[in-house]
Every structure is written in C-alpha cells, then in structure tokens.
Amino acid sequence: NAGVTQTPKFRVLKTGQSMTLLCAQDMNHEYMYWYRQDPGMGLRLIHYSVGEGTTAKGEVPDGYNVSRLKKQNFLLGLESAAPSQTSVYFCASSWVAGGSYEQYFGPGTRLTVT
Amino acid sequence: AQKITQTQPGMFVQEKEAVTLDCTYDTSDPSYGLFWYKQPSSGEMIFLIYQGSYDQQNATEGRYSLNFQKARKSANLVISASQLGDSAMYFCAMREGESQGNLIFGKGTKLSVKP
C-alpha cells in the first residue's frame, strides 16, 4: 500500500516550458487535491476533484490545468512555466469530503522555473 | 481577511515540557472541521488531530490535544512532554462545510525543541 505518490520528486524547467505532474493514490479515494507551498506560506489549493472525470478551481488556479481521467490519478499541468510557479507541489486525497477524514498527502514535488 | 491565523512564526520549548501552538479561524459556516498537520524538515505532511465544529469535547490523540474554544474561534494545539522529534513546522487548517473537503491552511509555526 503506497498511499499517495507523486512523480517526479524534483524538476527544473526553463520559462515557457511545459510539464505534467502525476499524482497517484491506491486507497480508492474519491477526492483529490493539488496544493502549492511557498516559503513562509501555508499550502494553497490550486485545483481539486470530487470524483473521476470532475475537476474544479481552487484558490490559485491560474497557469495550471488538471485532469482526472482515472479515479486513482490526478494530473497537474503547466502549459507555459513561469518563475512565479517555482514552488513545492503537494497532492492529497481523501475518502470523503466531510467528517473527521483527513487528507493524505504525497511527498511533494519541488519545481524550479528559471 | 485571513481565514486561518497562526500568530507565532517560531516557538522554542524545552524537552519534556508542554507547548501550545495558537490557531484562530474565521468562518460563517456552522459546519467546519479543524486539522493540525506536522511538517518535519523532510517535507512530508503528517496528520495529527481533528476537531469538528459540533464536537462537544476537545480532541486528543496521544500527546496531542486540541484546545477548542468555539466562541473565541480558536483551536490551539497542545503538545505534552515535548520530544526532540517534535521539532517541525506545524500547520493549522480548516475545512468549511462538508461537501468539497478543501483545506485552508495557516502560515505555520516552526517549533524547536531544545535538549
């Protein structure tokens, strides 16, 4: 049982390049989330999904796109990377939205855009 | 206005002593949940404790307890008998409502435990 995994762990991009971050969970969770963490800040929600085939915008969605074609995977895309997107990206998943069910987090992806 | 406020950027505590990390929140939704996560220097997010808005009693999980004062909108984390391994960033987070699950995080408190 791997929990939540993220690929890659580290990446350096040049401005204007594109990339996709992959999040996978093996807990059959319905809900999945993408957050970013910047120095001195807590995590901020980028996009989330309440089930296979659904996505919605979070607090800071600009410059990112997501897809949830399979229940276990949640992809985060950067079409044209900018230095402001240098951050640590965390994926999380949860069984249900409410109650005491916590979100399980992946190990994070450290992205640097030069 | 910030929805989650953690006013202590950094805290020091002596090993084996108790420490309180402050968290205040702001919401008009009657149904919400409050979470605390620990982030060690290795970077992973570790769930510690949960308090629901309708819970009558303060949550406890081992050495962690949550001092929930609903009228004051505060949800402070108390760590008893601090250990060196407790040195980490601690984040308070809130989920508003029950339908989406999104968490709103505070900026965190860096706790350092001194031997």
Side-chain angles (χ1 to χ4, degrees):
Chain A
N1 192 338
V4 180
T5 58
Q6 292 183 231
T7 310
K9 288 186 170 54
F10 302 94
R11 185 73 186 267
V12 179
L13 286 179
K14 293 187 187 303
T15 298
Q17 287 184 321
S18 64
M19 77 164 294
T20 300
L21 282 68
L22 171 64
C23 175
Q25 52 92 6
D26 61 1
M27 297 173 281
N28 203 33
H29 285 172
E30 287 292 336
Y31 296 79
M32 296 188 75
Y33 311 86
W34 276 107
Y35 295 90
R36 61 177 287 174
Q37 184 179 27
D38 300 303
M41 304 282 288
L43 280 68
R44 291 183 293 167
L45 183 68
I46 305 171
H47 286 281
Y48 64 100
S49 168
V50 302
E52 182 178 316
T54 73
T55 63
K57 294 180 180 180
E59 180 187 355
V60 288
D62 294 342
Y64 305 95
N65 56 74
V66 287
S67 64
R68 181 112 182 259
L69 299 179
K70 294 183 179 180
K71 186 176 184 178
Q72 63 268 34
N73 295 339
F74 195 28
L75 278 63
L76 177 71
L78 286 73
E79 289 187 347
S80 179
S84 61
Q85 294 178 304
T86 293
S87 188
V88 180
Y89 291 86
F90 286 96
C91 176
S93 71
S94 63
W95 177 245
V96 296
S100 62
Y101 293 93
E102 75 268 27
Q103 291 185 12
Y104 291 81
F105 283 81
T109 295
R110 186 173 294 275
L111 174 67
T112 302
V113 183
T114 61
Chain B
Q2 286 190 16
K3 294 218 169 191
I4 295 287
T5 302
Q6 295 181 254
T7 57
Q8 307 151 313
M11 289 274 289
F12 287 93
V13 65
Q14 204 68 37
E15 193 178 8
K16 300 181 184 176
E17 292 186 349
V19 63
T20 298
L21 306 183
D22 294 341
C23 173
T24 58
Y25 60 92
D26 182 27
T27 182
S28 57
D29 198 316
S31 178
Y32 55 88
L34 298 157
F35 299 78
W36 278 91
Y37 281 85
K38 172 184 179 181
Q39 186 178 44
S41 57
S42 50
E44 71 268 31
M45 297 291 288
I46 302 167
F47 166 73
L48 296 178
I49 196 166
Y50 166 83
Q51 180 84 42
S53 58
Y54 296 116
D55 293 343
Q56 296 296 313
Q57 293 189 330
N58 287 345
T60 60
E61 289 287 347
R63 293 187 299 112
Y64 304 107
S65 61
L66 203 153
N67 184 0
F68 182 47
Q69 298 189 41
K70 196 170 182 177
R72 293 187 174 185
K73 294 190 174 180
S74 74
N76 299 339
L77 176 70
V78 180
I79 305 174
S80 63
S82 297
Q83 301 172 355
L84 295 178
D86 293 334
S87 294
M89 283 292 291
Y90 288 81
F91 291 97
C92 179
M94 176 174 65
R95 183 202 64 235
E96 291 183 296
E98 300 285 331
S99 62
Q100 294 171 341
N102 307 340
L103 293 180
I104 303 164
F105 284 83
K107 294 185 177 181
T109 295
K110 184 173 183 179
L111 178 66
S112 299
V113 180
K114 297 187 288 186

